[in-house]
Amino acid sequence: MKRLLGQFVKFAAVGGIAFCINWSVMNVLLMAHFGSIFGVSIGFLVALAYNYSASMSHVFIHRRDMPRWTEMMVFFLNSFIGLGLNDFIVWIFTNVIISSRLSETDHVRYTLFANIGLLVGSVVVAAWSFTVRKVLLDEPKDGNEEKTVLAHKLGTWARKHTPKGWL
């Protein structure tokens, strides 16, 4: 439990920095009158590069039974699902709760709702991402786990199907 709490604190710190990157990029693009979905998507992608590097070097321990290319594939696939969730939540805040036409008539209110949507979306995506990364990408505490666990099966499959020289 202590290890899990420590990981979550590190994950929150890395995620907090990634959120600040995403938030900054989104707001710069909103000030330039780009749409909220464009802004949050570009911000998310910029923050993603930092997030991968920091998460995999400071939060999670690389699984010995999984090649790096598979780790990256799982990380980025999970992240793109997170991007979709984030975009959907921001869209709800800027197109359903209020009208997207406010981006032209009341830009301050539109920006406020985009920021609230980003905050809500980030909390939802953080919970999703931590769970998936913990289950699929983190080395088990004692280095030993059931051979039936999905992460082990994925790693074993990936090792068998990795071209020579990639491992």
Side-chain angles (χ1 to χ4, degrees):
M1 185 62 151
K2 187 177 178 181
R3 178 176 180 244
L4 180 63
L5 181 60
Q7 266 187 319
F8 185 77
V9 168
K10 289 178 191 175
F11 179 82
V14 167
I17 294 169
F19 173 81
C20 289
I21 293 168
N22 189 350
W23 178 82
S24 299
V25 171
M26 181 190 81
N27 279 290
V28 165
L29 292 171
L30 283 173
M31 286 189 307
H33 291 276
F34 284 95
S36 61
I37 302 305
F38 180 77
V40 77
S41 296
I42 297 300
F44 189 96
L45 294 173
V46 171
L48 185 61
Y50 160 77
N51 197 316
Y52 175 75
S53 174
S55 287
M56 298 315 294
S57 61
H58 300 300
V59 180
F60 299 103
I61 300 169
H62 173 70
R63 294 184 63 91
R64 290 175 287 194
D65 63 352
M66 185 177 290
R68 290 279 183 192
W69 71 266
T70 309
E71 175 184 277
M72 290 176 75
M73 181 189 67
V74 168
F75 186 94
F76 287 109
L77 181 60
N78 176 47
S79 295
F80 286 113
I81 291 169
L83 172 61
L85 287 169
N86 212 19
D87 284 352
F88 180 67
I89 292 168
V90 170
W91 179 83
I92 287 172
F93 274 81
T94 58
N95 288 277
V96 176
I97 295 175
I98 64 168
S99 171
S100 63
R101 287 179 285 180
L102 286 180
S103 69
E104 298 165 11
T105 60
D106 190 354
H107 193 68
V108 172
R109 188 166 176 223
Y110 179 81
T111 300
L112 175 66
F113 274 82
N115 278 276
I116 294 169
L118 176 63
L119 183 60
V120 171
S122 295
V123 169
V124 170
V125 170
W128 161 262
S129 294
F130 183 79
T131 303
V132 170
R133 291 176 196 172
K134 182 70 180 158
V135 169
L136 292 179
L137 298 179
D138 196 28
E139 180 73 13
K141 181 177 146 185
D142 57 6
N144 203 1
E145 67 182 348
E146 292 289 323
K147 302 298 183 195
T148 58
V149 174
L150 177 62
H152 178 73
K153 288 182 175 184
L154 178 62
T156 302
W157 178 88
R159 284 209 174 275
K160 286 180 184 174
H161 294 87
T162 298
K164 292 185 190 300
W166 279 28
L167 290 177

PDB file of all heavy atoms in Angstrom, residues 29-47:
ATOM      1  N   LEU A  29      -3.816  29.226 -27.215  1.00  0.00           N
ATOM      2  CA  LEU A  29      -4.584  29.016 -28.445  1.00  0.00           C
ATOM      3  C   LEU A  29      -5.993  29.602 -28.346  1.00  0.00           C
ATOM      4  O   LEU A  29      -6.516  30.122 -29.332  1.00  0.00           O
ATOM      5  CB  LEU A  29      -4.617  27.533 -28.800  1.00  0.00           C
ATOM      6  CG  LEU A  29      -3.247  26.960 -29.216  1.00  0.00           C
ATOM      7  CD1 LEU A  29      -3.305  25.446 -29.349  1.00  0.00           C
ATOM      8  CD2 LEU A  29      -2.753  27.599 -30.495  1.00  0.00           C
ATOM      9  N   LEU A  30      -6.595  29.549 -27.165  1.00  0.00           N
ATOM     10  CA  LEU A  30      -7.906  30.176 -26.985  1.00  0.00           C
ATOM     11  C   LEU A  30      -7.800  31.699 -27.131  1.00  0.00           C
ATOM     12  O   LEU A  30      -8.689  32.327 -27.714  1.00  0.00           O
ATOM     13  CB  LEU A  30      -8.503  29.829 -25.620  1.00  0.00           C
ATOM     14  CG  LEU A  30      -9.098  28.430 -25.472  1.00  0.00           C
ATOM     15  CD1 LEU A  30      -9.506  28.167 -24.025  1.00  0.00           C
ATOM     16  CD2 LEU A  30     -10.285  28.234 -26.399  1.00  0.00           C
ATOM     17  N   MET A  31      -6.726  32.285 -26.605  1.00  0.00           N
ATOM     18  CA  MET A  31      -6.541  33.738 -26.765  1.00  0.00           C
ATOM     19  C   MET A  31      -6.378  34.125 -28.233  1.00  0.00           C
ATOM     20  O   MET A  31      -6.736  35.222 -28.632  1.00  0.00           O
ATOM     21  CB  MET A  31      -5.328  34.215 -25.955  1.00  0.00           C
ATOM     22  CG  MET A  31      -5.603  34.261 -24.465  1.00  0.00           C
ATOM     23  SD  MET A  31      -4.326  35.056 -23.467  1.00  0.00           S
ATOM     24  CE  MET A  31      -2.851  34.229 -23.936  1.00  0.00           C
ATOM     25  N   ALA A  32      -5.826  33.196 -29.012  1.00  0.00           N
ATOM     26  CA  ALA A  32      -5.676  33.434 -30.450  1.00  0.00           C
ATOM     27  C   ALA A  32      -6.960  33.072 -31.203  1.00  0.00           C
ATOM     28  O   ALA A  32      -6.968  33.029 -32.436  1.00  0.00           O
ATOM     29  CB  ALA A  32      -4.491  32.639 -30.986  1.00  0.00           C
ATOM     30  N   HIS A  33      -8.022  32.758 -30.459  1.00  0.00           N
ATOM     31  CA  HIS A  33      -9.358  32.439 -30.991  1.00  0.00           C
ATOM     32  C   HIS A  33      -9.419  31.135 -31.779  1.00  0.00           C
ATOM     33  O   HIS A  33     -10.223  30.992 -32.695  1.00  0.00           O
ATOM     34  CB  HIS A  33      -9.935  33.608 -31.793  1.00  0.00           C
ATOM     35  CG  HIS A  33     -10.281  34.766 -30.912  1.00  0.00           C
ATOM     36  ND1 HIS A  33     -11.469  34.836 -30.236  1.00  0.00           N
ATOM     37  CD2 HIS A  33      -9.582  35.879 -30.565  1.00  0.00           C
ATOM     38  CE1 HIS A  33     -11.496  35.940 -29.521  1.00  0.00           C
ATOM     39  NE2 HIS A  33     -10.360  36.593 -29.696  1.00  0.00           N
ATOM     40  N   PHE A  34      -8.580  30.177 -31.397  1.00  0.00           N
ATOM     41  CA  PHE A  34      -8.757  28.823 -31.897  1.00  0.00           C
ATOM     42  C   PHE A  34      -9.840  28.180 -31.041  1.00  0.00           C
ATOM     43  O   PHE A  34     -10.091  28.607 -29.918  1.00  0.00           O
ATOM     44  CB  PHE A  34      -7.458  28.019 -31.792  1.00  0.00           C
ATOM     45  CG  PHE A  34      -6.444  28.367 -32.837  1.00  0.00           C
ATOM     46  CD1 PHE A  34      -5.450  29.297 -32.578  1.00  0.00           C
ATOM     47  CD2 PHE A  34      -6.497  27.782 -34.090  1.00  0.00           C
ATOM     48  CE1 PHE A  34      -4.511  29.627 -33.539  1.00  0.00           C
ATOM     49  CE2 PHE A  34      -5.567  28.103 -35.061  1.00  0.00           C
ATOM     50  CZ  PHE A  34      -4.574  29.026 -34.783  1.00  0.00           C
ATOM     51  N   GLY A  35     -10.472  27.144 -31.535  1.00  0.00           N
ATOM     52  CA  GLY A  35     -11.517  26.459 -30.783  1.00  0.00           C
ATOM     53  C   GLY A  35     -10.962  25.691 -29.597  1.00  0.00           C
ATOM     54  O   GLY A  35      -9.776  25.353 -29.539  1.00  0.00           O
ATOM     55  N   SER A  36     -11.839  25.405 -28.642  1.00  0.00           N
ATOM     56  CA  SER A  36     -11.418  24.727 -27.414  1.00  0.00           C
ATOM     57  C   SER A  36     -10.899  23.311 -27.680  1.00  0.00           C
ATOM     58  O   SER A  36      -9.912  22.893 -27.071  1.00  0.00           O
ATOM     59  CB  SER A  36     -12.581  24.679 -26.421  1.00  0.00           C
ATOM     60  OG  SER A  36     -13.667  23.954 -26.958  1.00  0.00           O
ATOM     61  N   ILE A  37     -11.526  22.591 -28.569  1.00  0.00           N
ATOM     62  CA  ILE A  37     -11.096  21.215 -28.834  1.00  0.00           C
ATOM     63  C   ILE A  37      -9.716  21.215 -29.491  1.00  0.00           C
ATOM     64  O   ILE A  37      -8.850  20.413 -29.129  1.00  0.00           O
ATOM     65  CB  ILE A  37     -12.127  20.463 -29.721  1.00  0.00           C
ATOM     66  CG1 ILE A  37     -13.506  20.439 -29.041  1.00  0.00           C
ATOM     67  CG2 ILE A  37     -11.655  19.050 -30.032  1.00  0.00           C
ATOM     68  CD1 ILE A  37     -13.526  19.857 -27.639  1.00  0.00           C
ATOM     69  N   PHE A  38      -9.494  22.113 -30.416  1.00  0.00           N
ATOM     70  CA  PHE A  38      -8.165  22.238 -31.028  1.00  0.00           C
ATOM     71  C   PHE A  38      -7.132  22.581 -29.960  1.00  0.00           C
ATOM     72  O   PHE A  38      -6.072  21.958 -29.879  1.00  0.00           O
ATOM     73  CB  PHE A  38      -8.176  23.306 -32.133  1.00  0.00           C
ATOM     74  CG  PHE A  38      -6.842  23.489 -32.799  1.00  0.00           C
ATOM     75  CD1 PHE A  38      -6.394  22.579 -33.738  1.00  0.00           C
ATOM     76  CD2 PHE A  38      -6.031  24.573 -32.467  1.00  0.00           C
ATOM     77  CE1 PHE A  38      -5.153  22.740 -34.351  1.00  0.00           C
ATOM     78  CE2 PHE A  38      -4.798  24.746 -33.073  1.00  0.00           C
ATOM     79  CZ  PHE A  38      -4.356  23.826 -34.018  1.00  0.00           C
ATOM     80  N   GLY A  39      -7.458  23.558 -29.117  1.00  0.00           N
ATOM     81  CA  GLY A  39      -6.530  23.993 -28.078  1.00  0.00           C
ATOM     82  C   GLY A  39      -6.198  22.902 -27.076  1.00  0.00           C
ATOM     83  O   GLY A  39      -5.031  22.678 -26.741  1.00  0.00           O
ATOM     84  N   VAL A  40      -7.227  22.210 -26.599  1.00  0.00           N
ATOM     85  CA  VAL A  40      -6.985  21.160 -25.609  1.00  0.00           C
ATOM     86  C   VAL A  40      -6.256  19.971 -26.245  1.00  0.00           C
ATOM     87  O   VAL A  40      -5.416  19.337 -25.607  1.00  0.00           O
ATOM     88  CB  VAL A  40      -8.278  20.731 -24.891  1.00  0.00           C
ATOM     89  CG1 VAL A  40      -9.147  19.834 -25.735  1.00  0.00           C
ATOM     90  CG2 VAL A  40      -7.966  20.055 -23.572  1.00  0.00           C
ATOM     91  N   SER A  41      -6.527  19.675 -27.499  1.00  0.00           N
ATOM     92  CA  SER A  41      -5.844  18.564 -28.178  1.00  0.00           C
ATOM     93  C   SER A  41      -4.362  18.858 -28.381  1.00  0.00           C
ATOM     94  O   SER A  41      -3.508  18.013 -28.099  1.00  0.00           O
ATOM     95  CB  SER A  41      -6.501  18.271 -29.523  1.00  0.00           C
ATOM     96  OG  SER A  41      -7.829  17.836 -29.337  1.00  0.00           O
ATOM     97  N   ILE A  42      -4.047  20.055 -28.854  1.00  0.00           N
ATOM     98  CA  ILE A  42      -2.641  20.418 -29.059  1.00  0.00           C
ATOM     99  C   ILE A  42      -1.919  20.466 -27.714  1.00  0.00           C
ATOM    100  O   ILE A  42      -0.806  19.949 -27.571  1.00  0.00           O
ATOM    101  CB  ILE A  42      -2.516  21.763 -29.818  1.00  0.00           C
ATOM    102  CG1 ILE A  42      -3.125  21.647 -31.218  1.00  0.00           C
ATOM    103  CG2 ILE A  42      -1.061  22.221 -29.883  1.00  0.00           C
ATOM    104  CD1 ILE A  42      -2.495  20.600 -32.108  1.00  0.00           C
ATOM    105  N   GLY A  43      -2.560  21.051 -26.710  1.00  0.00           N
ATOM    106  CA  GLY A  43      -1.967  21.091 -25.372  1.00  0.00           C
ATOM    107  C   GLY A  43      -1.714  19.705 -24.817  1.00  0.00           C
ATOM    108  O   GLY A  43      -0.674  19.423 -24.223  1.00  0.00           O
ATOM    109  N   PHE A  44      -2.663  18.799 -25.021  1.00  0.00           N
ATOM    110  CA  PHE A  44      -2.538  17.421 -24.557  1.00  0.00           C
ATOM    111  C   PHE A  44      -1.349  16.742 -25.222  1.00  0.00           C
ATOM    112  O   PHE A  44      -0.551  16.075 -24.572  1.00  0.00           O
ATOM    113  CB  PHE A  44      -3.834  16.662 -24.869  1.00  0.00           C
ATOM    114  CG  PHE A  44      -3.917  15.291 -24.264  1.00  0.00           C
ATOM    115  CD1 PHE A  44      -4.577  15.097 -23.062  1.00  0.00           C
ATOM    116  CD2 PHE A  44      -3.374  14.183 -24.908  1.00  0.00           C
ATOM    117  CE1 PHE A  44      -4.678  13.828 -22.510  1.00  0.00           C
ATOM    118  CE2 PHE A  44      -3.470  12.921 -24.363  1.00  0.00           C
ATOM    119  CZ  PHE A  44      -4.127  12.738 -23.150  1.00  0.00           C
ATOM    120  N   LEU A  45      -1.220  16.920 -26.531  1.00  0.00           N
ATOM    121  CA  LEU A  45      -0.132  16.267 -27.265  1.00  0.00           C
ATOM    122  C   LEU A  45       1.239  16.819 -26.863  1.00  0.00           C
ATOM    123  O   LEU A  45       2.209  16.059 -26.754  1.00  0.00           O
ATOM    124  CB  LEU A  45      -0.356  16.401 -28.773  1.00  0.00           C
ATOM    125  CG  LEU A  45      -1.582  15.654 -29.300  1.00  0.00           C
ATOM    126  CD1 LEU A  45      -1.823  15.980 -30.771  1.00  0.00           C
ATOM    127  CD2 LEU A  45      -1.446  14.148 -29.080  1.00  0.00           C
ATOM    128  N   VAL A  46       1.324  18.115 -26.616  1.00  0.00           N
ATOM    129  CA  VAL A  46       2.589  18.703 -26.156  1.00  0.00           C
ATOM    130  C   VAL A  46       2.941  18.146 -24.773  1.00  0.00           C
ATOM    131  O   VAL A  46       4.081  17.748 -24.515  1.00  0.00           O
ATOM    132  CB  VAL A  46       2.499  20.245 -26.127  1.00  0.00           C
ATOM    133  CG1 VAL A  46       3.709  20.850 -25.438  1.00  0.00           C
ATOM    134  CG2 VAL A  46       2.355  20.801 -27.541  1.00  0.00           C
ATOM    135  N   ALA A  47       1.954  18.078 -23.880  1.00  0.00           N
ATOM    136  CA  ALA A  47       2.179  17.567 -22.529  1.00  0.00           C
ATOM    137  C   ALA A  47       2.489  16.072 -22.534  1.00  0.00           C
ATOM    138  O   ALA A  47       3.184  15.574 -21.642  1.00  0.00           O
ATOM    139  CB  ALA A  47       0.960  17.847 -21.666  1.00  0.00           C
TER     140      ALA A  47
END
